[in-house]
Amino acid sequence: MTNIKIKRAYDPASPSDGFRIYIDRLWPRGLSHETFHYDLWDKEIAPSTELREWFHADPANRWSDFSKKYAEELQNSPQFIQLKDIVKSKPVVTLLYSSHDESHNNAVVLEKILQQS
């Protein structure tokens, strides 16, 4: 079984991260392509632009609905099936995200769904 972790893109890379997957649609602000280490950048696994913008307009009150809507987007995504296969093939995977909120972001939702798969 794969050990799945989540980590901010701004935190230093570590050998214990295993296979690093950046899961946001937008490049992390302030990080250079030379210094940000990832093994896969899967833009299509990120929440849709519409869902991301809707959530960021009122994150304190929309977390529960965001989680459900993002899970629905994932279940309808062929890219998610490919991601699950990649994750299952690795002993350790770290999902990288750029949000400041460590408890309420797409990586939290994605990790939970991958753990259940």
Side-chain angles (χ1 to χ4, degrees):
M1 182 168 177
T2 303
N3 179 13
I4 302 170
K5 308 177 195 181
I6 60 174
K7 187 176 191 177
R8 287 195 75 223
Y10 301 96
D11 294 337
S14 166
S16 65
D17 291 343
F19 192 78
R20 294 169 50 96
I21 305 173
Y22 183 55
I23 59 165
D24 285 344
R25 192 170 302 279
L26 304 175
W27 185 258
R29 187 175 306 185
L31 292 182
S32 74
H33 289 271
E34 292 79 29
T35 59
F36 177 45
H37 170 70
Y38 60 91
D39 298 298
L40 173 67
W41 180 9
D42 197 344
K43 298 176 194 178
E44 297 305 314
I45 210 67
S48 64
T49 300
E50 297 79 15
L51 181 57
R52 178 179 49 82
E53 290 174 350
W54 173 83
F55 174 61
H56 285 285
D58 189 10
N61 294 311
R62 294 182 175 172
W63 171 246
S64 179
D65 287 337
F66 169 80
S67 298
K68 291 174 190 165
K69 290 178 181 190
Y70 181 43
E72 289 172 9
E73 284 187 354
L74 290 172
Q75 296 304 327
N76 294 317
S77 166
Q79 191 68 22
F80 180 60
I81 294 168
Q82 291 177 354
L83 181 69
K84 285 194 304 187
D85 291 340
I86 292 169
V87 168
K88 287 179 183 178
S89 74
K90 307 291 181 189
V92 179
V93 169
T94 298
L95 304 175
L96 304 167
Y97 66 94
S98 57
S99 173
H100 292 288
D101 188 334
E102 295 181 9
S103 302
H104 304 97
N105 61 68
N106 58 312
V108 172
V109 177
L110 182 56
E111 177 196 27
K112 181 179 178 181
I113 292 170
L114 287 169
Q115 296 282 14
Q116 295 170 348
S117 297

